[in-house]
Amino acid sequence: MRSYEMMIILDPEVDERTLQPTLDKMLAVVPAEGGSLDNVDIMGKRRLAYDINKKSEGIYVVVYMTAEPDTAKELDRQLGLNETVMRTKLLRYEPKAAAAAE
């Protein structure tokens, strides 16, 4: 199992009341395949550095998770197919406690 950090930018027209259930459904592949969602931080609507699909704002979500590499790739693939997801960025994440121990 590896630690990952994923930034997701969602369409700003997604209803904020349905945002959490939508995210739960999108991220369900991680616990289903034995991984864990360590932290899901909804940062809210922010201005983009440049327009994406003629939109100047997006809803930023940062997800910290522990999963197998194949699970992380599958999540990234599924999010890429979702129409409400404008961009994703998946990175390996080194927790501070593990980095300090080395």
Side-chain angles (χ1 to χ4, degrees), residues 11-52:
D11 191 317
E13 295 169 7
V14 172
D15 189 12
E16 302 229 357
R17 293 177 298 220
T18 62
L19 182 60
Q20 189 63 48
T22 304
L23 277 174
D24 291 341
K25 193 173 6 173
M26 285 183 201
L27 301 173
V29 69
V30 176
E33 295 192 14
S36 66
L37 296 172
D38 302 328
N39 188 15
V40 178
D41 183 20
I42 301 172
M43 298 172 66
K45 200 176 284 189
R46 304 273 174 112
R47 185 149 180 79
L48 300 172
Y50 54 90
D51 286 1
I52 301 173

Side-chain angles (χ1 to χ4, degrees), residues 16-100:
E16 302 229 357
R17 293 177 298 220
T18 62
L19 182 60
Q20 189 63 48
T22 304
L23 277 174
D24 291 341
K25 193 173 6 173
M26 285 183 201
L27 301 173
V29 69
V30 176
E33 295 192 14
S36 66
L37 296 172
D38 302 328
N39 188 15
V40 178
D41 183 20
I42 301 172
M43 298 172 66
K45 200 176 284 189
R46 304 273 174 112
R47 185 149 180 79
L48 300 172
Y50 54 90
D51 286 1
I52 301 173
N53 299 332
K54 299 181 181 175
K55 296 186 179 156
S56 60
E57 289 186 329
I59 300 172
Y60 281 70
V61 179
V62 180
V63 178
Y64 293 96
M65 62 185 171
T66 304
E68 293 293 334
D70 291 338
T71 305
K73 286 180 187 176
E74 177 62 16
L75 174 62
D76 197 31
R77 186 190 73 78
Q78 286 182 12
L79 290 174
L81 296 173
N82 194 319
E83 292 179 5
T84 61
V85 177
M86 293 168 45
R87 287 284 191 277
T88 62
K89 183 69 173 181
L90 178 66
L91 300 171
R92 284 274 310 271
Y93 174 70
E94 198 65 41
K96 291 180 183 175

